[in-house]
Amino acid sequence: MKVFLIGANGQVGRHIVYLLQASNEHSIKAMVRNEQQAEAFKQSGVDAVVANLESSVDDLAKATEGCDAVIFSAGSGSKTGPDKTLLVDLDGAVKSMEAAEKVGANRYVMVSAIQAHNRESWMDSPIKPYMVAKHYADRMLASSSLNYTIVRPGALLNEPGTGKVQLAENLQRGAIPREDVAKTVVAVLNEENTFRRSFDIISGDTAIEEALKNF
C-alpha cells in the first residue's frame, strides 16, 4: 500500500521513511513542513509533499490523495507550549483522520504514548497537556470509521533497536529505541491481529512480528 507519513522528518519518522523505502510491500509519500525538508527527501528518492497540520482538512486531504494508509508520527515538540500541543497533537491529528476518511485512506496507524488511555497514570505528569492531547486524539481515532492501530511506546531512546519488544494493553513505564517503534509501526500495517486495537510497547524479549501476532 502507499503510505502517507505525517511527521516524516521527526526522529521516529526518519526511521519509518527508511523502512518504507526499503519495503517490497509498501511505498511512501512523506509529509513535511517546508520545501527544504521536501527537497532533501526528494533527492534521496522519496515522494514528499509540504503540508501543515494547522491548515484545513481540505488541504490535508489534497496532500493525502493517492494513499491507502496514514501513519501519524508528528508532534509539536518539547520546545513548544500547550497551545501548539493542542493545535498539532490533538486538532492536527483529528484533522488528518478526517482527511484520511475523505480520500479513502482507510488504514491509519497512530504513534501515541504509553498509558495515554489511562488518565490516572499521568495526573501529575510534567507533560500532562501532551498526554491529554494524545488521549483525546486516540479516542477520536477509535470512534472513527478508519481501520486503526494505536501504538503507545514508552520513553523513546536513540540507541540502536533490538527488534525485540514487550507489548500489551497495559504496561508499566519502560523505554524503547525509536528504531523499534518504527519497525513496529511498519509491521502493523498488514497485521490483521492489530486492526482496530491499541497497545503499550516497550523493549522486551519477543521479536516484533511474533509479539504482534500473539497480542
Side-chain angles (χ1 to χ4, degrees):
M1 61 182 78
K2 184 159 189 177
V3 180
F4 186 62
L5 175 58
I6 300 172
N9 202 52
Q11 293 187 77
V12 173
R14 280 174 289 192
H15 284 293
I16 297 172
V17 169
Y18 173 80
L19 293 168
L20 289 175
Q21 225 185 345
S23 172
N24 294 321
E25 294 182 89
H26 310 299
S27 59
I28 179 174
K29 186 188 216 181
M31 176 180 147
V32 293
R33 286 177 289 183
N34 59 58
E35 290 291 349
Q36 186 176 3
Q37 292 172 351
E39 187 58 34
F41 276 122
K42 288 173 183 176
Q43 286 181 4
S44 62
V46 176
D47 181 14
V49 60
V50 177
N52 190 331
L53 287 169
E54 294 183 52
S55 64
S56 69
V57 172
D58 284 344
D59 286 346
L60 288 171
K62 287 176 186 174
T64 312
E65 277 180 357
C67 294
D68 310 294
V70 173
I71 295 174
F72 189 96
S73 184
S76 56
S78 59
K79 296 178 182 176
T80 60
D83 55 338
K84 284 293 183 184
T85 301
L86 181 67
L87 293 171
V88 173
D89 299 278
L90 177 51
D91 192 45
V94 174
K95 285 190 289 189
S96 75
M97 298 167 203
E98 294 173 5
E101 289 178 322
K102 194 166 189 175
V103 301
N106 185 54
R107 186 75 177 108
Y108 192 110
V109 181
M110 170 66 78
V111 180
S112 185
I114 193 168
Q115 288 289 295
H117 61 304
N118 180 10
R119 286 192 187 99
E120 286 69 32
S121 72
W122 38 263
M123 291 301 290
D124 300 316
S125 171
I127 56 167
K128 188 173 180 179
Y130 172 75
M131 297 303 292
V132 170
K134 298 307 284 185
H135 176 86
Y136 285 101
D138 292 355
R139 284 177 64 168
M140 290 295 291
L141 179 55
S143 66
S144 75
S145 67
L146 297 166
N147 180 18
Y148 70 87
T149 300
I150 299 170
V151 180
R152 300 189 299 256
L156 299 172
L157 306 173
N158 282 326
E159 61 193 46
T162 65
K164 294 185 176 182
V165 298
Q166 178 184 359
L167 63 87
E169 289 187 14
N170 288 285
L171 289 175
Q172 297 298 317
R173 295 293 171 184
I176 183 170
R178 287 178 168 87
E179 184 179 0
D180 284 337
V181 176
K183 287 178 180 177
T184 303
V185 166
V186 172
V188 303
L189 283 168
N190 285 338
E191 179 48 68
E192 294 184 13
N193 195 42
T194 69
F195 289 2
R196 298 195 69 83
R197 299 184 74 185
S198 310
F199 55 85
D200 292 340
I201 185 169
I202 59 176
S203 289
D205 299 318
T206 307
I208 290 169
E209 292 77 7
E210 182 184 347
L212 293 172
K213 289 186 185 302
N214 294 329
F215 169 48

